[in-house]
Amino acid sequence: MDQKEKDSQKLFSEFPPISTEKWEEKIRTDLKGADFERKLVWRSPEGFNVYPFYRNEDLDKVNYLDSLPGEFPYARGNKKDNNNWFVRQDIKIDDYKEANKKALNILMRGIESLGFEMNSEVKPSEENLEQLLNDIVLDAIELNFKTGEHSMEIIPMLVDIAKKKNVDLAQVKGSMDFDPLKCLTLRGKFVLPQEEIFAKAVALTKAAAELPEFKTIGVNGLMLSNSGASIVQELGMALAMGAEYIAQLTEQGLSVDEAASRIRFNFGVGSNYFMELAKFRAARILWAHIIEAFGGSKEAAKMSIHVETSDWNKTVYDPYVNMLRTTTEAMSSVLAGIDSLVVRPFNASFEETTEFSERIARNQQLLLKEESYFNKIVDPAAGSYYIETLTDKLAEEAWKVFLAIDEKGGYIAALRAGFIQNEIKATQDKRAKSVATRRENFLGTNQYPNFNEVLEHNIPADVLQPKDSTVEGAEFETLKPYRGSQAFESLRSRVENHSRTTGKRPKAFMLTMGNLAMRKARATFACNFFGCAGFEGVDNLGFASVEEGAKAAIDAQADIVVICSSDDEYAEIAPAAFELLKDKAIVVVAGAPACANDLKAVGIEHFVNVKTNVLEGLEMYAEKLGIK
């Protein structure tokens, strides 16, 4: 042992190992008697506790840690020597020539994967497809097609065009988004009888025999994410869809390897940064074991993952915040080792995207790849006690969802029985309450709104409603994707429309008196509260008397007057202010003072505080002001 090693040993010998018990004892000391579990342990929406720190001993039960990148069960990714992914942008096709022009343009700006969204009602021709792919080097990028019912026609035409261009078919990468289970889930019935639709899936897969790197079957977890499902539900239910495809396709004559190698999972990604990162790692592990159970090979057990940033958490108000959301979502995805990614432009949820918004979305990925080098290091999250534990916990919880669906007879049977919908509906209700009470925040919408933001036009009705694709003759209740901020946006849109119609914006006036710290804090809270509905908040420096404050509120033509002071001072200030204002405005007390019952006795009905259901409260105030 050389001197350097001796010095190193001596250095670390000065820091003896500390047990978990001692760490927790120190934390409890610092908490000064507060409950450790209640203060620092987070009960995640995914159904398990998340602790404030993790140690090596937490990984004792994790059984995949010895696997290397590219090794079964692929927790650390399918690749051995890099973390590269395809930077993808989707193009909606209204005109094939213009779509080709746009494709060539964005390929020069860093895009490596193209997604073509074709009109499902118009059957494409080989001439159309040749025009679309003109001057595109087919084996240098990834090609993806969303074609609805016309997937069968695209494959042979693509093969013919590739042969004409002397392209090596083995190098053509991409996918068809043929996903009858998505169609069933959103529409309520198959387009064709069940046996026929899966026979078509088999025929499509066989038609792509000359394109070994081309995926033909899509599994859509994104619709689950956009319908309000939890991370565990999205994962478990998507795996159940994948297993359903394997079962149906093998019944129709394909081998497990043939079926599995043609499936691509299309997941959503939200802003729960570490959970989403762990989700994709857990997905690969579980899918690998599912394919193993079906009797497939380890090579076929590699999960192909495409990711798209979710619409569920995107907002119409303060829309540039969506850029921050999609940036963290992109990071979660690529750090987890996914295969391709679409970052949706910040305004895609509520209007036609622009050249600017699409450029920003592209560059978010390019920054991660070309400047942050996230594509260079295999499984950057490996070894993190926290992420490895989350991966294991998510796999455990998602497996329970998968088994529950399997017990129902598989995804189709569970869907027809209403199990899928009921499980997601229960989560929707919980999340709706969390959004309404601001336990789940949408910055700029239900928390810290931009008070001065006013939209030039009413928000289109379809932007504020769940997307209902249910068809006539549907066999069951369908999933309806929506955005979590829609209820707040609908309310604020109505307030803005009322303001345009009447020429007057509802005004919430802060009658601030007494204790400086308390009145400032409560005025800030109340302005933020009423600002979420688009009310004008009028803050003040403080009034010397109740009479002065009441007169100022009346002169300002306030619709709502919020009394902001300390709990001790409310007993005197609030009744006096109420007596002067009760016939002229809605009087509200900011806080939950001990004297609340005494205030109610004199006629004060309204209080706003951290326990208030913000959405219900604002709806009530809007109704009292005649805003329909």
Side-chain angles (χ1 to χ4, degrees), residues 141-160:
I141 62 165
E142 188 184 60
L143 292 168
N144 305 278
F145 297 91
K146 297 180 179 181
T147 60
E149 300 175 21
H150 303 298
S151 301
M152 198 68 200
E153 289 86 0
I154 293 291
I155 293 289
M157 290 191 293
L158 179 61
V159 170
D160 287 345

Side-chain angles (χ1 to χ4, degrees), residues 52 64 66 81 87 94 110 148 154 202 210 254 280 288 370 401 455 533 612 614:
Y64 61 80
D66 292 335
D81 54 5
V87 178
D94 296 313
I154 293 291
V202 171
E210 295 183 85
L254 291 184
F280 300 119
E370 305 297 340
V401 175
L455 301 184
T612 303
V614 181

